[in-house]
Amino acid sequence: MTVRPLADLLRIAVAPLIWFLHLSAVYAAEAMICSGILNTRSNIGWIVIVLTMNALLGLAMTAIVTARGAGRGNSWLRTAALILTFLSVVGVAWTSLPSFLLPGCASAAIGTALGTVV
């Protein structure tokens, strides 16, 4: 077994990085729309759908590439990468869920109704 620290780190870190980028993009888009920087409040659902589908596609590709490397490399590393990919899929779904269940900018409307800043 050869040790390739950078390649091994990238193999494990790709899925959490995709989840982090999705999380950042969804919350940045919602923050810009709800603050009035972008005037596309009706399109917030579509923005989240596009970001989520891209993240899930990237995670699916990561899982396929990781699973195809079954004969090569460290099996512990491959298993850890697949577990992190699964957890990242859960994280992407969890991040997107409020956008599908709540109306756009719901937390800002609740904060205004209560007289507090949310």
Side-chain angles (χ1 to χ4, degrees):
M1 178 176 82
T2 60
V3 177
R4 300 174 316 199
L6 183 59
D8 292 345
L9 175 67
L10 288 176
R11 190 181 308 174
I12 285 187
V14 168
L17 181 64
I18 291 172
W19 168 76
F20 172 73
L21 292 174
H22 175 264
L23 176 76
S24 299
V26 166
Y27 280 104
E30 294 225 13
M32 288 191 289
I33 290 170
C34 292
S35 67
I37 294 173
L38 296 176
N39 195 12
T40 58
R41 191 170 286 199
S42 62
N43 294 333
I44 196 167
W46 287 107
I47 291 170
V48 173
I49 288 172
V50 168
L51 290 171
T52 302
M53 289 298 119
N54 284 329
L56 290 176
L57 179 64
L59 290 170
M61 290 172 55
T62 301
I64 290 169
V65 168
T66 303
R68 280 194 177 170
R72 301 183 308 264
N74 189 347
S75 65
W76 177 87
L77 186 66
R78 188 176 42 260
T79 303
L82 287 173
I83 290 171
L84 285 174
T85 302
F86 172 74
L87 291 174
S88 296
V89 168
V90 172
V92 165
W94 190 261
T95 301
S96 303
L97 191 63
S99 298
F100 299 125
L101 297 179
L102 299 173
C105 303
S107 63
I110 292 169
T112 304
L114 296 175
T116 60
V117 178
V118 178

